[in-house]
Amino acid sequence: MAPRRRAASRCPILREVRATSAIKTAILVATVAALSVVLAVWAVVIWPPLELAGSSSRAVADLTFWTVLTLAAAAFPVRTARRSTVGVFIAPVLASAFLAGPATGALVSLVGTLELREVRGEIPWYGTLYNHASAVVAAIVA
């Protein structure tokens, strides 16, 4: 028996639902990305990230430490029983935000949340943008 073709591509209602869903996704991603940029600029102006400990070499070392720690945490996501993955990178992001200020937390979350799946192209660009932008918002608001 020949495989049955899907009728979804010919159905105008399903095409409209897909288009509406794409528009909603684009609005969501654009809103979160814009919010993260506004909050990041505000945090950098209010709490400059490289004035952590008085010396700039110490501040750069702290920023590097937290970023590397976050990258390491992002490299090992936890797989749940239902095969979904949970990123545990939020702990070092929040620690850097609490200890060094919201601007540092934003920088650490922006760079440190990069995952191998994103580098390999397994996640669409808008998913990567949304994930990083939401991590920046969480780090600043926390």
Side-chain angles (χ1 to χ4, degrees), residues 16-32 126 130:
E16 184 178 328
V17 167
R18 283 190 195 123
T20 305
S21 177
I23 291 170
K24 287 180 181 179
T25 301
I27 290 170
L28 174 68
V29 171
T31 303
V32 172
Y126 53 88
Y130 177 81

Side-chain angles (χ1 to χ4, degrees), residues 70-142:
T70 305
L71 278 169
F76 299 105
V78 176
R79 296 216 185 269
T80 64
R82 295 187 180 196
R83 299 208 177 253
S84 63
T85 59
V86 178
V88 292
F89 59 83
I90 198 68
V93 167
L94 290 177
S96 68
F98 293 152
L99 295 174
T104 302
L107 288 172
V108 167
S109 67
L110 182 67
V111 177
T113 57
L114 187 68
E115 294 182 16
L116 229 49
R117 297 180 305 152
E118 296 169 350
V119 174
R120 284 188 240 145
E122 295 176 10
I123 300 175
W125 66 269
Y126 53 88
T128 300
L129 176 64
Y130 177 81
N131 290 342
H132 288 265
S134 64
V136 168
V137 169
I140 293 171
V141 171

Side-chain angles (χ1 to χ4, degrees), residues 19-94:
T20 305
S21 177
I23 291 170
K24 287 180 181 179
T25 301
I27 290 170
L28 174 68
V29 171
T31 303
V32 172
L35 178 65
S36 71
V37 169
V38 168
L39 285 176
V41 168
W42 175 72
V44 168
V45 168
I46 302 296
W47 300 283
L50 294 180
E51 293 179 7
L52 305 176
S55 70
S56 84
S57 63
R58 165 81 184 200
V60 170
D62 287 347
L63 189 63
T64 304
F65 169 76
W66 288 114
T67 304
V68 169
L69 188 64
T70 305
L71 278 169
F76 299 105
V78 176
R79 296 216 185 269
T80 64
R82 295 187 180 196
R83 299 208 177 253
S84 63
T85 59
V86 178
V88 292
F89 59 83
I90 198 68
V93 167
L94 290 177

